[in-house]
Amino acid sequence: MNIQENVSLKLYSTMRLGGTARYVCSVTSEEDLLEALEFATKNNIPHRIIGSGSNIIWSDKGFEGLVIVNNIASVTFHDDTTVTFGSGHSWDEAVLITTDKNLSGLETLSLIPGTVGATPVQNVGAYGQEIANVITELRAYDTQTKEFVNIPGSDCQFGYRTSRFKTTDAGRFIITSVTFKLSQQAPTPPFYESLQAYLDKNSITEYTPTTLRNAVIAIRSSKLPDPSQTANNGSFFANPIVPKKQYDNLIAKYPDIKSWELPDGSYKLAAGWLIEKAGFSGIHDSETGMATWPGQNLVIVNENATSTHQLITFKKKIVDKVKELFDVTLEQEPELLP
Ligand SMILES: Cc1cc2nc3c(=O)[nH]c(=O)nc-3n(C[C@H](O)[C@H](O)[C@H](O)COP(=O)(O)OP(=O)(O)OC[C@H]3O[C@@H](n4cnc5c(N)ncnc54)[C@H](O)[C@@H]3O)c2cc1C
């Protein structure tokens, strides 16, 4: 296994910012992973597993440890509907493999950048599906007990854009494969509002995993920047959830506030709407070199910033204004490392 020294971390985040990593290596098997961990232990340095870097931002001070880039890719079908992907497998290619087999469960998660192994970390979701609904089990190396374990989906503590891998057990497990149970039943409405609108507009009445995948790809391509062309991490802010009392105060003041009632009676607010009202729609901030993506205020793009400090400065402008106007704190979705 080749371990590189003093590597720019800009290459390992789709926001293309950050300092230098002391060491970087790529792993393609569980054996490689153990070798990489042994290197970190021997050198008494921290390690960090990453996939494609589409949900991380590296700090300017860099990482005085070993960045392990996950390329453990494999596909195993156990029966007609149960499939295990190696965690370094490209996520979108994994979705394509399942839709090509006419399997439903992942199709509206098409074109989300990244690897299979990162999807459980924040319970990846889009257009009404999230992986919590279809993961049966994952395999991971437990860095505490130093053994490989199988964790059932029901033990992952999945929530809205979260799981135990992001909260109570952050950094503890290195996921090496994920198993999904999919369905041979055709997807049935109701679909997510904007997805249904696209289907109607394009007179698509045959609902298959492939027609839905193609619809999602068309919608996403028309409104989201491609991280290979434009540096970004997708949605930079999660939609904030507020208690009913706060929601009632907000709706009285802003009757057009965009929101969704949740089963527990709280409300999820559209962060994009809050950002728009705070005056940050399609903003190009010359001070920081950062911008919000036209029509998608939630997406912050790096136009010509050279430091993570500039990104944080821009983020603070948005967060502070939203807080001042609505008394709501926007939480950052991509993780700032280390
Ligand atoms: C344009 C764009 C659109 C996006 N749209 C969506 C969307 O619709 N929905 C959504 O949920 N997300 C979305 N994202 C966010 C991102 O694509 C997902 O979070 C994705 O799963 C991250 O994958 P990655 O391989 O790039 O992970 P990375 O960014 O490399 O890592 C993310 C986190 O997971 C950890 N991690 C990575 N691999 C492993 C592993 N094998 N074991 C344990 N921990 C691991 C890392 O340490 C880090 O904490 C979008 C991002 C972009 C740039």
Side-chain angles (χ1 to χ4, degrees), residues 69-90:
V69 184
N70 182 12
N71 284 299
I72 306 174
S74 59
V75 191
T76 311
F77 273 87
H78 306 283
D79 57 36
D80 287 348
T81 55
T82 314
V83 57
T84 299
F85 290 102
S87 59
H89 200 291
S90 144

Side-chain angles (χ1 to χ4, degrees), residues 189-202:
F191 299 122
Y192 201 77
E193 204 180 323
S194 56
L195 176 56
Q196 187 65 60
Y198 178 91
L199 295 167
D200 292 345
K201 190 166 164 231
N202 291 279

